[in-house]
Amino acid sequence: VRKTAYTVYDIARLAGVSPSTVSRVLTGNSRVSQEKEARIRSVIAELNFRPNAHARTLLARRSRTLGVLIPDLTNLFFSQTFLALETAALSQGYSLIVGNTLNLNNSPVSPLETYYVNSLLERQVDGLLYMGGRVNMVAPESLVVREMIALRETLPLVAINGRCEGTGIHEVSSDEGAGVENLVGHLFGLGHREFAFLGGYRGITSFDEKLDRAAAVIGSLGGRMFPEWILPTGYSLEAGALAMATLLERKTRPTAVLGVNDYVAMGAIRGAVERGMRVPQDLSVTGFDDVSTSRFILPSLTTVNHNYQALAEAAIGVMVDLLDSRTPASKTIVSVELKVRESTGPAASR
Amino acid sequence: VRKTAYTVYDIARLAGVSPSTVSRVLTGNSRVSQEKEARIRSVIAELNFRPNAHARTLLARRSRTLGVLIPDLTNLFFSQTFLALETAALSQGYSLIVGNTLNLNNSPVSPLETYYVNSLLERQVDGLLYMGGRVNMVAPESLVVREMIALRETLPLVAINGRCEGTGIHEVSSDEGAGVENLVGHLFGLGHREFAFLGGYRGITSFDEKLDRAAAVIGSLGGRMFPEWILPTGYSLEAGALAMATLLERKTRPTAVLGVNDYVAMGAIRGAVERGMRVPQDLSVTGFDDVSTSRFILPSLTTVNHNYQALAEAAIGVMVDLLDSRTPASKTIVSVELKVRESTGPAASR
DNA sequence: CTGAAAGCGCTTACAG
DNA sequence: CTGAAAGCGCTTACAG
């Protein structure tokens, strides 16, 4: 028994006023006599009237809505980031629409990513917060660069923990390099000198940044990370288990393992334990992201926390600046925090 | 350098046709001469024109969009369900807008839930898929019932794994009762006779359903679940750890623990291990939901899988039936699947 | 303070 | 096959 929705005209008629006056009450942008306002409000309440957002947006030419592109909402890193973004956006008067691009392997051409970009633009989002996909490639194809430039010229764009070289897109990122440095420093302090790096994909901005920084720090401290200990298998739990299985077949093995994220670390720990290793007694393992479960698994994960709220507030802040025609910094770095837990321990003497 | 968006008028002018003809090409609802169509398409491509969805929706009086109300997107059960819903919806030509209501303790009056219901209605969603909150109470207040009836009269509504008695809202649910029965049966087979039930909140539909069924099955099989072993502390990892801590202070203890969900089970396992218990040697623990991480933690969780895709397809199916004025079953039950893993083992002889 | 009118960007009968 | 006109539901100058 679907009723057709009421309009301001219905409210006006029932309250004995003009639609303009109803609108004034709705927006609160103009004075209305107390008596009429009361009448209008009572009709609105009685009919449970809700103004049509599409009509409003059409006229206002702004939707007060931001689009968010996310590769995988079932990865806690992204859902936790999304939650923080939503909180920050709401507090600034914006709401969010997510596009879950399912671009798990960071393909440069994900059909769903394209679909969502178009869909969000058609819905007239005022700006786009971009994670993953086109904004995650160290060396984007020139076609992608051209597309992203066109996009940036169409509406304000902020890349979160990613970038697209040569497009001038604003970046807001966690200090992942510092996070890796903290992790390696912590492991060195425990006596570790030999490191593996598991998970991720080459050519993805955050992977390369983490790996390069790990290599640099390990090198400068006099440790080792042999190429056969670098196993970029992906970002999932399975990727972690697989990488560890491969690592443990090597003739020589490191004493510490850096997982590209918490999922890979979890998978790696299971892979190690299934093969008779103890974590951290035989092998130390670290994650990255400090996802909610990491504090509770056994052993709990030594990892790096993103400061989700600060990251989100920075991203929304830059976006709002852009929307209000201010000129925010083109790159914002948000500090991270090392979390030392049970998955790391003293290097085994051998 | 924000450009103001192009309209069909711009396209029409540049292609030398009328706006109507542009529109015909856009919708594909009418024949257009090949020559004009080609001209129009080339202008559209060149300007990267995207029709304004708000103008379209306003006219069509339907948005081809469904609203989804979810209590907590950072809980993998919900994000996995959302992903499945999205896939199912897209395949039927609908897109989804989520409202993350943050109604973690299932308060009957969550401000954010109210905000999102209004916001989604203003955005003219064609239907609402409802999880948590107002649709999760065994005995909803009469005000809530009235509100939900009004809502159901406003647009098609489907409750997923929940219900609201007395409102006639369509339900699509996992067979949680059968899941619990499978779990208890499995534990009985391992020799367990004494059970605790951890997590959840009283008065929440799915909690009561699980607990009641557990009590019934345990009773009928000749087992025991003392009231002091029932600890409804909530749904989080922390809730599980807390409940286990409390349970282990009891003078008599069960040999098996049913967690209301995987998070509670994970928290409970950690709580037990921190107090020197081994899982499953000293205590068997089960979860519910089969969240992605559950297969990888140590010990991996014996749990119940929701058949996420089937659940989502059923929910979207009912919704589409409602939208197309068919009359789907008022209640649809989707079967679940027991997953036996490492967190359960033979009852310790004592 | 209030109402009539115009317009946001589309699409769809209606003629031709 | 094509164009002119009207209208979806709002809001905002413009008069008064």
Side-chain angles (χ1 to χ4, degrees):
Chain A
V1 192
R2 180 77 182 276
K3 299 182 270 191
T4 145
Y6 295 109
T7 72
V8 284
Y9 288 88
D10 300 315
I11 308 300
R13 190 165 30 77
L14 294 168
V17 299
S18 76
S20 323
T21 305
V22 174
S23 178
R24 287 184 185 106
V25 170
L26 251 24
T27 63
N29 291 341
S30 284
R31 303 220 137 286
V32 171
S33 75
Q34 284 214 340
E35 181 226 2
K36 292 200 175 181
E37 170 158 1
R39 242 153 59 208
I40 291 169
R41 287 202 186 282
S42 97
V43 175
I44 287 177
E46 193 178 341
L47 300 189
N48 225 315
F49 169 73
R50 295 179 182 91
N52 185 316
H54 298 285
R56 282 187 155 177
T57 299
L58 193 55
L59 202 49
R61 283 127 149 273
R62 63 179 302 180
S63 61
R64 284 252 166 221
T65 297
L66 267 18
V68 187
L69 259 10
I70 279 193
D72 179 15
L73 221 35
T74 68
N75 177 140
L76 288 168
F77 166 65
F78 292 114
S79 58
Q80 292 177 194
T81 301
F82 175 72
L83 175 62
L85 285 171
E86 192 178 33
T87 306
L90 286 175
S91 81
Q92 302 267 13
Y94 286 88
S95 57
L96 258 32
I97 304 187
V98 223
N100 194 194
T101 61
L102 298 185
N103 195 167
L104 305 182
N105 43 7
N106 283 283
S107 147
V109 281
S110 150
L112 209 53
E113 187 173 332
T114 304
Y115 165 82
Y116 274 118
V117 170
N118 284 321
S119 165
L120 292 170
L121 290 183
E122 287 173 6
R123 289 176 194 202
Q124 312 298 120
V125 294
D126 296 333
L128 219 44
L129 299 154
Y130 215 119
M131 304 184 80
R134 286 166 168 60
V135 113
N136 257 12
M137 286 165 293
V138 173
E141 306 167 14
S142 67
L143 175 63
V144 168
V145 172
R146 282 202 303 279
E147 283 177 358
M148 293 305 282
I149 288 175
L151 199 57
R152 195 214 56 194
E153 285 173 347
T154 306
L155 84 177
L157 207 55
V158 174
I160 302 178
N161 281 12
R163 64 175 188 273
C164 192
E165 217 70 65
T167 59
I169 292 173
H170 283 74
E171 301 170 31
V172 175
S173 297
S174 308
D175 196 344
E176 301 189 292
V180 167
E181 200 164 328
N182 290 341
L183 249 14
V184 172
H186 160 68
L187 289 165
F188 253 82
L190 290 168
H192 295 276
R193 296 296 176 266
E194 309 200 309
F195 299 82
F197 197 104
L198 306 190
Y201 287 120
R202 294 209 117 103
I204 301 303
T205 52
S206 71
F207 173 83
D208 282 18
E209 188 164 325
K210 286 174 182 168
L211 180 62
D212 292 352
R213 183 68 80 97
V217 178
I218 291 168
S220 78
L221 292 174
R224 280 196 299 261
M225 180 164 64
F226 294 128
E228 61 268 30
W229 293 345
I230 298 173
L231 297 162
T233 49
Y235 291 92
S236 62
L237 293 154
E238 288 81 358
L242 175 65
M244 181 58 82
T246 308
L247 179 67
L248 294 182
E249 282 164 11
R250 304 288 187 239
K251 283 162 302 270
T252 61
R253 299 170 181 180
T255 63
V257 168
L258 303 164
V260 73
N261 67 199
D262 285 358
Y263 279 66
V264 165
M266 274 188 231
I269 290 174
R270 163 156 278 270
V273 170
E274 280 178 353
R275 283 165 189 77
M277 308 279 291
R278 292 164 306 158
V279 176
Q281 295 86 340
D282 303 323
L283 191 64
S284 284
V285 178
T286 64
F288 209 106
D289 291 346
D290 195 16
V291 129
S292 63
T293 47
S294 297
R295 193 157 58 88
F296 283 88
I297 60 169
L298 295 166
S300 60
L301 262 186
T302 292
T303 185
V304 171
N305 182 90
H306 277 284
N307 238 319
Y308 290 91
Q309 206 55 56
L311 180 65
E313 278 163 17
I316 298 293
V318 170
M319 176 58 78
V320 170
D321 280 352
L322 254 17
L323 288 166
D324 295 349
S325 307
R326 268 166 264 137
T327 50
S330 66
K331 183 161 184 169
T332 306
I333 304 288
V334 178
S335 65
V336 297
E337 193 181 349
L338 176 68
K339 297 283 185 185
V340 174
R341 304 213 183 94
E342 302 163 351
S343 65
T344 49
S349 54
R350 293 191 295 178
Chain B
V1 195
R2 180 77 180 275
K3 300 182 268 189
T4 146
Y6 295 109
T7 72
V8 284
Y9 287 88
D10 300 315
I11 308 300
R13 190 166 29 78
L14 293 168
V17 298
S18 75
S20 326
T21 304
V22 175
S23 178
R24 287 183 185 107
V25 170
L26 251 23
T27 64
N29 291 340
S30 283
R31 301 221 137 284
V32 172
S33 74
Q34 285 214 339
E35 182 227 1
K36 293 198 177 182
E37 170 158 1
R39 243 154 56 208
I40 292 169
R41 288 204 185 282
S42 97
V43 175
I44 287 177
E46 192 177 342
L47 299 190
N48 226 317
F49 169 72
R50 295 179 183 91
N52 185 316
H54 298 285
R56 283 187 155 176
T57 298
L58 192 56
L59 201 50
R61 283 130 147 270
R62 63 180 302 179
S63 62
R64 285 254 167 218
T65 296
L66 267 18
V68 187
L69 259 11
I70 280 194
D72 178 15
L73 219 36
T74 67
N75 178 140
L76 288 168
F77 166 65
F78 292 114
S79 59
Q80 291 177 195
T81 301
F82 176 71
L83 175 64
L85 285 170
E86 191 179 34
T87 306
L90 285 175
S91 81
Q92 300 267 13
Y94 286 89
S95 57
L96 258 33
I97 304 187
V98 223
N100 194 194
T101 61
L102 298 186
N103 196 167
L104 305 182
N105 43 6
N106 283 282
S107 147
V109 282
S110 150
L112 209 54
E113 187 173 332
T114 304
Y115 165 82
Y116 273 117
V117 169
N118 285 321
S119 165
L120 291 170
L121 291 183
E122 287 173 6
R123 288 177 195 201
Q124 313 299 118
V125 294
D126 296 333
L128 219 44
L129 299 154
Y130 216 120
M131 304 186 79
R134 286 165 167 61
V135 113
N136 257 11
M137 287 165 293
V138 172
E141 307 166 13
S142 67
L143 174 64
V144 169
V145 172
R146 282 202 303 280
E147 283 177 357
M148 292 306 282
I149 289 176
L151 198 57
R152 195 214 55 198
E153 286 171 346
T154 306
L155 85 177
L157 207 56
V158 174
I160 302 179
N161 281 11
R163 63 175 188 274
C164 191
E165 218 70 65
T167 59
I169 292 173
H170 284 74
E171 300 168 33
V172 174
S173 297
S174 309
D175 196 344
E176 302 190 290
V180 168
E181 201 164 327
N182 291 341
L183 248 15
V184 172
H186 161 66
L187 290 165
F188 253 84
L190 290 169
H192 296 275
R193 296 296 177 263
E194 309 200 307
F195 300 81
F197 198 104
L198 305 190
Y201 289 119
R202 295 209 116 103
I204 300 302
T205 53
S206 72
F207 173 83
D208 282 19
E209 188 164 324
K210 286 174 182 167
L211 180 62
D212 292 353
R213 183 67 80 96
V217 177
I218 291 167
S220 79
L221 292 174
R224 281 195 299 261
M225 180 164 64
F226 293 128
E228 63 267 30
W229 292 345
I230 298 173
L231 298 161
T233 49
Y235 291 93
S236 63
L237 292 153
E238 288 81 358
L242 174 66
M244 180 59 80
T246 308
L247 179 68
L248 293 182
E249 282 165 9
R250 304 287 187 239
K251 284 164 302 271
T252 61
R253 298 170 180 179
T255 63
V257 168
L258 302 165
V260 73
N261 67 198
D262 285 358
Y263 280 66
V264 165
M266 272 187 231
I269 289 175
R270 163 157 278 271
V273 170
E274 281 179 352
R275 284 165 188 75
M277 309 278 292
R278 292 165 305 159
V279 177
Q281 295 86 339
D282 303 323
L283 191 65
S284 284
V285 178
T286 64
F288 210 105
D289 292 344
D290 195 17
V291 128
S292 62
T293 46
S294 297
R295 192 158 58 89
F296 283 88
I297 60 169
L298 295 167
S300 60
L301 264 186
T302 292
T303 186
V304 171
N305 183 89
H306 278 283
N307 237 318
Y308 290 92
Q309 206 54 55
L311 180 65
E313 278 163 16
I316 298 293
V318 169
M319 177 57 79
V320 170
D321 280 352
L322 254 18
L323 289 166
D324 295 350
S325 308
R326 269 167 262 137
T327 50
S330 65
K331 184 161 184 169
T332 306
I333 303 288
V334 178
S335 65
V336 297
E337 193 182 347
L338 176 67
K339 297 284 184 183
V340 174
R341 303 212 183 96
E342 301 163 352
S343 65
T344 50
S349 54
R350 294 191 296 177

